[in-house]
Amino acid sequence: MPDHLVLYNTLTRKAEAFRPRDPRRITFYTCGPTVYDDAHIGNFRSFLAADVLRRFLESPLCRLVDDDGGPALQAGSRTVLHVMNITDVGHMTDDDAADGAGEDKMAAATRRLSEAKKSGKLPPGAGDIDPTDQHAIARFYEARFLEDARRLGLRVAIDAQRDPTLMPRATGAVPGMIAIIERLIARGHAYAVGPAGRQTVYFSVPSFPAYGSLSGNTLDALRAGQGGRVQESHQAEKKHPADFLLWKSDPTHAMRWASPWGEGYPGWHIECTAMAAARLCGPDDGRNEPASPLTPAALGALEVADVRPMIDLHSGGEDNIFPHHECEIAQSCGAFNATPADAAPARGMFAAHWFHPRFLMVEGAKMSKSKGNFFTPRDLFAKGHEPAAVRLELIKTHYRSNANFTEQGLKDSARMVERWRRVIEQGAGATRADGSGKAARAEAQQAFADAMHDDLNIAGAIGAINAWVGSLDAPTPEDAALLRAFDGVVGVLALERPAAASTDIGLFIPPAEPNPEVTALLERRRDARAAKDFAAADQIRDQLASMGYAIKDAPGGKVEVRKA
RNA sequence: GGCCGGAUGCCAGAGUGGACUAAUGGAGCGGAUUGCAAAUCCGUUAUUCGUGGGUUCGAAUCCCACUCCGGCCUCCA
């Protein structure tokens, strides 16, 4: 059991002590959503895993060691500068992707929304947007993403309300991307092909010998082309089959910008290099203070003098390992590291620690729209599941295992949250604060920290919480405080609870819907019970059950009504 | 074909050489409580850890083979 944070690193394929360059300012970049549709629970599992990591790094319960193995700064002075981008430039949907042809995702979204508009099936709130305006569509889905993210307690999305530079948009970063591409060309890591004003720019993969370090996909392995997606016909203008797109000139593209190579749009990978470097490699301006990311000119001149990584942590879904993160490393090191290209293997690989949560399964199967097991958080909220239960269900499995999202698991999670809430409520209301239970708290805190230090064993940490909570007979204010400290990492107790709609007799639990028919039945049942006519009372309860309502007598004569 | 990550009880999910006759939550069952329920509390439910070999005094944990599941091999969290 490590007494400090040990985290699996995709780059080294080992669990390693996490040692930030500067614990006072840990730099963390997460590849964010593409806003051409609503993000689903699988997307959110990955974002929430990164959020749990970030919260643990910020927690006083987390201990880091420095290079000599001694304790690094403990919480208080330790902060995490966490950036997550919004990809609002379309990228390719099909096999022609690497060559910049084909329909892009934003274009696909315009087509989808246009069709939806014709058939009257637009998502709520989308009625006013022009389905052919890609920027408007991106803003629309971005707003929905941020709403879901905040309801699920994604701290970076909450912080971005204060400091929008923490969640940069790709469309706002194009000048920086252009500056980096120019730099890559100047350094021999990229080349432009085609007639002047209509050029395509590729990254030269052979110019970066360390390519493949992250994914294990060496150039030799790639040459085998077993994925079947690299098409020979599109390889003609590239110098090497693995070279990837940095800029595509296309004056007909819906989203396009002026560039030295012609009007067009950037490749997918370059945006993360630009946004991560601009916000995380800039001057130390403190965490959530509004800051000016590096200007394009500064990005074009940024030089990382040593072979150390530029940022501490980088996360994304496991599918991002290749090609996206492999390409990010090549571009970023090629553009910013001072070391000559032929010394590339010694470079810092852009980020020191690469964090990749695995995919989410739903009811034991791969999530897909055709199987009907494809959910977005807002789908679940609309069905009456509260954000805290959804969050807990999405984070409670170790991030490097395929988690299985189930309806039953969602119910389990909801009950667990309710149990924890009782501890907070009873503890906060208790007058006794005599220091009792101190040993049990110390033990629970140790067990929780041990589990989290061990590559974020969240299930073990939750087990530690439950074992301790189960041992409490009368929670004290100190107990409530400790549970809040745990929840600083788990992040469910501070989330909004759906307000129960209250009538004189009923407390309607999921969303507010004081059904008058139900209320009338509750009143008849109350009268029957008062008259000790229990047969009639039970018959009404059965009737409510057949209507899909579970009822529970609460103190004070009210009845909690839960829609199944 | 190559490279990764997995497989634990009815379900979810910890545990990675000895205190494991396997944490924790749910579910089931029995009891307390309740008019009856719900919630809560107490007790209980795997001689067993995908399959077959091996190493070891000792294996869920290490090694080998196999089966199955998931990811990547230029759309994807």
Side-chain angles (χ1 to χ4, degrees), chain A residues 314-329:
Chain A
H314 194 126
S315 81
E318 59 175 319
D319 53 333
N320 279 162
I321 296 170
F322 191 89
H324 186 52
H325 290 163
E326 198 72 76
C327 294
E328 261 185 62
I329 290 172

Side-chain angles (χ1 to χ4, degrees), chain A residues 164-182:
Chain A
T165 68
L166 296 173
M167 289 192 68
R169 293 173 181 142
T171 50
V174 175
M177 297 185 219
I178 290 171
I180 295 169
I181 296 169
E182 290 185 294

Side-chain angles (χ1 to χ4, degrees), chain A residues 76-424:
Chain A
S77 45
R78 202 168 64 207
T79 60
V80 179
L81 180 57
H82 187 193
V83 170
M84 181 164 86
N85 69 291
I86 295 280
T87 295
D88 56 353
V89 180
H91 295 293
M92 302 313 126
T93 54
D94 63 24
D95 296 347
D96 299 40
D99 300 287
E103 182 179 35
D104 86 17
K105 285 187 204 158
M106 292 308 307
T110 62
R111 189 169 43 74
R112 205 180 58 235
L113 281 178
S114 297
E115 284 165 9
K117 192 156 196 168
K118 277 181 215 151
S119 59
K121 288 184 193 158
L122 279 178
D128 297 337
I129 65 174
D130 174 358
T132 64
D133 180 347
Q134 295 189 4
H135 291 278
I137 290 168
R139 285 297 86 78
F140 173 73
Y141 283 115
E142 175 190 300
R144 287 163 68 93
F145 172 78
L146 292 173
E147 189 187 316
D148 286 352
R150 284 169 189 146
R151 292 185 78 183
L152 290 171
L154 203 70
R155 221 169 240 184
V156 65
I158 294 164
D159 287 351
Q161 289 177 302
R162 275 201 305 278
D163 179 0
T165 68
L166 296 173
M167 289 192 68
R169 293 173 181 142
T171 50
V174 175
M177 297 185 219
I178 290 171
I180 295 169
I181 296 169
E182 290 185 294
R183 186 94 177 282
L184 287 168
I185 293 172
R187 292 179 141 210
H189 285 298
Y191 56 92
V193 296
R198 285 296 301 268
Q199 289 181 300
T200 302
V201 184
Y202 291 103
F203 184 89
S204 168
V205 169
S207 77
F208 188 72
Y211 192 83
S213 304
L214 182 70
S215 62
N217 286 325
T218 61
L219 287 183
D220 284 346
L222 285 175
R223 234 188 298 269
Q226 287 293 330
R229 292 184 186 167
V230 179
Q231 293 177 24
E232 284 305 315
S233 58
H234 294 108
Q235 295 290 340
E237 59 182 9
K238 290 201 232 172
K239 293 182 182 169
H240 187 281
D243 290 352
F244 56 88
L245 186 77
L246 293 171
W247 188 269
K248 175 79 178 179
S249 294
D250 179 358
T252 67
H253 200 76
M255 280 188 170
R256 56 185 190 273
W257 292 262
S259 86
W261 311 284
E263 221 183 337
Y265 57 91
W268 171 36
H269 313 301
I270 194 68
E271 65 176 57
C272 287
T273 290
M275 288 184 275
R279 188 63 180 84
L280 297 174
C281 297
D284 181 352
D285 40 30
R287 183 171 57 142
N288 291 322
E289 299 308 309
S292 304
L294 292 177
T295 61
L299 268 183
L302 179 65
E303 193 158 288
V304 178
D306 56 23
V307 295
R308 297 204 61 178
M310 286 168 245
I311 61 178
D312 295 313
L313 262 175
H314 194 126
S315 81
E318 59 175 319
D319 53 333
N320 279 162
I321 296 170
F322 191 89
H324 186 52
H325 290 163
E326 198 72 76
C327 294
E328 261 185 62
I329 290 172
Q331 289 164 350
S332 305
C333 294
F336 304 131
N337 274 124
T339 318
D342 56 9
R347 287 178 170 177
M349 293 297 154
F350 187 33
H353 231 103
W354 290 82
F355 179 84
H356 292 106
R358 308 255 153 230
F359 272 26
L360 181 74
M361 314 280 282
V362 173
E363 304 290 353
K366 194 176 163 180
M367 184 165 52
S368 75
K369 285 185 175 167
S370 58
K371 280 185 193 143
N373 61 357
F374 187 97
F375 301 108
T376 65
R378 55 214 305 134
D379 292 338
L380 297 168
F381 300 154
K383 285 167 76 178
H385 297 292
E386 63 164 315
V390 175
R391 177 176 168 109
L392 187 57
E393 178 64 6
L394 287 174
I395 66 171
K396 75 183 184 190
T397 304
H398 187 89
Y399 74 94
R400 277 193 300 121
S401 298
N402 289 119
N404 191 14
F405 188 95
T406 62
E407 189 80 20
Q408 181 58 248
L410 205 46
K411 283 184 191 152
D412 293 356
S413 297
R415 287 176 72 111
M416 214 185 281
V417 170
E418 283 184 15
R419 198 139 76 95
W420 294 348
R421 280 184 184 135
R422 270 200 302 280
V423 172
I424 298 279

Side-chain angles (χ1 to χ4, degrees), chain A residues 51-52 55 152-153 388 391 395 486-495:
Chain A
D51 183 67
V52 168
R55 283 167 174 263
L152 290 171
R391 177 176 168 109
I395 66 171
F486 291 151
D487 191 59
V489 179
V490 177
V492 295
L493 297 175
L495 300 182

